[in-house]
């Protein structure tokens, strides 16, 4: 699996450090708010477990799954809700944790959904931001790293459901998706 990676962008240690820094900021932000933390499946699972352990606040945790990618490296453009939240979000201070914001479509879909359900506030924390991919005008409030306009995998992010368990974020060798 490691042989399929062209270049490591962020090591486990880099990610741990950024999670500590963001966790401190989020602790200050949510100290008195009892937030509902929403982990966006499946990609944000690893980062969520890092972030929440750095937050010294009372918080609830829920999961949502949206899909737009299929098994391709280019977004299909259509976002679908494939697993809804269990909790009622009305009146809650919500913190969404994402793996990557690329076109921004997934995040826009989710933020609109949460607003329709009358959340009190919604903020977004993402491990990775790929500003060069943006097609929809939306920003995260907390960002781990800005990535170049390449398809990245690892630390939760997949290509065709593989590589999620790599303990770092890296660029996949193009040969992997060109010669399928
Ligand atoms: P959008 O384009 O809606 O994308 O902002 C958000 C979701 O698409 C997936 N995504 C990626 N997954 N490497 C991946 O493994 C990438 O470079 C990449 N870009 C987007 C991801 O699931 C994200 O939540
Ligand atoms: Mg995702």
């Amino acid at each position: 699996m490691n042989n399929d990676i062209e270049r490591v962008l962020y090591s486990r240690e880099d990610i741990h450090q950024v999670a500590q820094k963001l966790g401190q900021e989020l602790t200050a932000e949510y100290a008195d708010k009892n937030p509902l933390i929403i982990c966006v499946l499946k990609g944000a699972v690893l980062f969520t477990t890092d972030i929440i352990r750095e937050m010294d606040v009372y918080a609830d945790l829920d999961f949502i799954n949206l899909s737009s990618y299929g098994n391709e490296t280019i977004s299909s453009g259509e976002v679908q809700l494939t697993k809804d939240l269990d909790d009622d979000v009305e009146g809650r201070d919500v913190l969404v944790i994402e793996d990557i914001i690329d076109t921004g479509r997934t995040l826009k879909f989710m933020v609109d959904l949460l607003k329709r359900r009358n959340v009190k506030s919604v903020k977004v924390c993402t491990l990775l931001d790929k500003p060069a991919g943006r097609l929809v005008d939306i920003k995260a409030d907390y960002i781990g790293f800005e990535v170049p306009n390449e398809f990245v995998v690892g630390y939760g992010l997949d290509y065709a459901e593989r590589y999620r368990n790599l303990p770092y974020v890296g660029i996949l060798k193009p040969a992997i998706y060109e010669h399928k």
Side-chain angles (χ1 to χ4, degrees):
M1 178 173 65
N2 280 279
N3 285 336
D4 297 348
I5 303 304
E6 189 164 275
R7 185 156 64 92
V8 175
L9 288 178
Y10 304 109
S11 69
R12 192 177 200 160
E13 291 70 34
D14 295 336
I15 297 168
H16 181 61
Q17 276 183 15
V18 102
Q20 279 185 322
K21 181 182 133 287
L22 293 174
Q24 282 175 11
E25 294 174 23
L26 290 164
T27 296
E29 166 99 44
Y30 288 106
D32 308 315
K33 292 185 181 153
N34 191 189
L36 173 64
I37 298 173
I38 298 179
C39 168
V40 184
L41 295 170
K42 301 173 189 169
V45 165
L46 277 71
F47 186 51
T48 299
T49 62
D50 287 346
I51 284 286
I52 61 177
R53 282 178 288 179
E54 303 294 339
M55 290 176 67
D56 184 12
V57 302
Y58 295 107
D60 302 346
L61 180 62
D62 203 350
F63 299 86
I64 195 168
N65 199 176
L66 303 152
S67 92
S68 72
Y69 261 65
N71 283 348
E72 302 305 321
T73 55
I74 294 172
S75 171
S76 67
E78 190 190 327
V79 181
Q80 281 177 330
L81 179 65
T82 54
K83 185 229 167 281
D84 204 344
L85 299 165
D86 291 330
D87 297 350
D88 184 4
V89 296
E90 185 164 353
R92 300 297 304 266
D93 289 301
V94 171
L95 173 66
V96 174
I97 305 191
E98 258 289 20
D99 52 357
I100 186 166
I101 303 170
D102 191 342
T103 65
R105 284 189 184 118
T106 308
L107 186 58
K108 175 86 169 60
F109 180 95
M110 192 162 28
V111 168
D112 287 350
L113 179 79
L114 292 168
K115 286 183 175 166
R116 280 201 304 278
R117 293 181 182 178
N118 298 317
V119 292
K120 185 173 174 197
S121 70
V122 53
K123 297 221 168 182
V124 178
C125 174
T126 187
L127 172 61
L128 306 174
D129 187 19
K130 197 193 278 187
R134 204 70 96 252
L135 295 174
V136 172
D137 183 26
I138 195 155
K139 285 196 188 81
D141 302 278
Y142 297 89
I143 297 166
F145 303 101
E146 246 183 43
V147 286
N149 202 9
E150 309 249 19
F151 195 75
V152 296
V153 295
Y155 219 84
L157 292 110
D158 72 308
Y159 170 65
E161 293 301 324
R162 288 179 164 178
Y163 309 106
R164 293 191 194 277
N165 55 320
L166 281 176
Y168 54 82
V169 171
I171 297 176
L172 195 59
K173 286 179 182 164
I176 304 296
Y177 47 86
E178 279 164 5
H179 306 292
K180 263 193 307 180

